[in-house]
Amino acid sequence: MFENKVWWITGASSGIGAALAEALAKRKAKLVLSGRNVEALEDVAGRCGPHLILPFEATDFAAVPEIAERAWRWAAQQGGAIHGLVNNAGITQRSLAVETVFDVYLRIVGVDLLAPIALTQALLPRMVKAGGGQLVAISSVAGIVGAPLRSAYSAAKHGLIGYHDSVRAETAHSGIKVLVVAPGSVRTNVSKNALDARAEVRGVSDRAIDNGLDPALAAERILEALVAGKRELILADGPEAEIVRLRRSDPDALFDRMAALMAAGYAQQMGAQGKAE
């Protein structure tokens, strides 16, 4: 599944993407590393084995077919095809829907939903023709639960799950496997890079993220799920895992809990937390 197989990771310059690159490299995979920060990608690549750095703007949809062609050609030069695609790149938000400008929705849905769809659509026919492969979608607990202050992010990550679930159903008989991962808090720059209500970078992190799961451990759990043939991985523990369980078993209880959280001043606490940091 990993040794001498080509895996393409988007958002590979940091966080879960970088950790997955290193974990796959330890298993002797060959890597295509994508993102916007070339210097950071080169730093990650320096810790990995055979690789192709393939930077591109995720929402430059017109360029995606040519980007996919370059990646596929490189895989062929390595003696095979692209075995795995990890749709990992994304951005989030921290803002109330009632205060949020529409550009936030355009940007987040573009990066978190339309970009992975565009890339998968460009690659999927080739993977099917090659006899199969593995898709990995990095969604979020917020892709299962409508999380406060994350309306655009939740919308995009819900859509990411729906798209990949459909692709799984349509292509399983063609050898395509799909794993959807729903992380909770992982120790990355995701909240620091979040957009605020005016579509500006927030610039501060959340305590929950700062105290979250180590990305290296997250990567190991994802690879374990792949080996086990899982189709969904809830990469969360404690209260975050509990709200996923509630969303599926007792949604009314979850809706009441979320509303109570907001009534108790969650938005104000998040704002104060940012100011303190």
Side-chain angles (χ1 to χ4, degrees):
M1 174 175 281
F2 305 125
E3 187 171 355
N4 293 322
K5 300 291 187 180
V6 176
W7 281 77
W8 190 354
I9 306 170
T10 68
S13 60
S14 64
I16 292 175
L20 274 172
E22 293 187 45
L24 284 165
K26 289 178 183 177
R27 290 161 174 83
K28 300 182 180 180
K30 301 174 183 180
L31 304 173
V32 179
L33 305 175
S34 291
R36 292 187 301 170
N37 188 329
V38 176
E39 184 177 351
L41 288 174
E42 289 174 344
D43 183 61
V44 173
R47 301 191 295 274
C48 299
H51 62 267
L52 169 67
I53 295 176
L54 194 56
F56 68 101
E57 172 54 56
T59 55
D60 186 0
F61 303 130
V64 168
E66 193 274 333
I67 292 290
E69 172 65 23
R70 287 174 59 190
W72 197 265
R73 283 201 308 267
W74 184 81
Q77 292 166 5
Q78 306 309 304
I82 293 175
H83 175 76
L85 171 64
V86 182
N87 284 314
N88 170 68
I91 53 175
T92 188
Q93 77 183 112
R94 294 294 185 271
S95 62
L96 294 167
V98 70
E99 298 173 351
T100 300
V101 298
F102 187 60
D103 190 50
V104 171
Y105 293 90
L106 289 175
R107 290 177 62 183
I108 291 178
V109 171
V111 171
D112 291 12
L113 178 58
L114 295 180
I117 289 176
L119 186 56
T120 305
Q121 289 295 124
L123 206 59
L124 187 60
R126 298 172 184 267
M127 295 176 76
V128 168
K129 188 175 181 179
Q134 178 77 58
L135 301 177
V136 181
I138 307 298
S139 181
S140 171
V141 165
I144 300 170
V145 175
L149 305 183
R150 297 159 179 82
S151 56
Y153 185 66
S154 282
K157 291 299 189 177
H158 271 75
L160 191 66
I161 292 175
Y163 169 78
H164 281 85
D165 282 355
S166 292
V167 169
R168 182 193 298 110
E170 293 174 2
T171 61
H173 68 283
S174 299
I176 301 296
K177 297 180 179 181
V178 179
L179 170 65
V180 170
V181 182
S185 296
V186 179
R187 198 159 61 244
T188 69
N189 290 326
V190 63
S191 61
K192 185 175 182 179
N193 295 331
L195 301 183
D196 65 16
R198 299 175 303 281
E200 297 175 357
V201 176
R202 183 171 179 243
V204 292
S205 191
D206 300 338
R207 292 191 187 99
I209 294 295
D210 293 340
N211 295 318
L213 186 67
D214 185 287
L217 180 56
E220 290 297 328
R221 289 176 62 178
I222 291 169
L223 297 191
E224 289 170 3
L226 287 168
V227 171
K230 290 187 176 181
R231 291 172 284 189
E232 181 180 77
L233 172 63
I234 307 302
L235 193 55
D237 301 300
E240 292 177 329
E242 172 65 10
I243 64 173
V244 172
R245 186 195 67 78
L246 274 180
R247 182 62 181 89
R248 291 171 169 172
S249 65
D250 191 353
D252 280 342
L254 175 66
F255 300 154
D256 290 342
R257 182 179 292 188
M258 293 293 103
L261 185 69
M262 292 301 295
Y266 175 71
Q268 291 76 15
Q269 292 167 18
M270 290 291 288
Q273 184 181 126
K275 292 174 183 177
E277 294 167 349

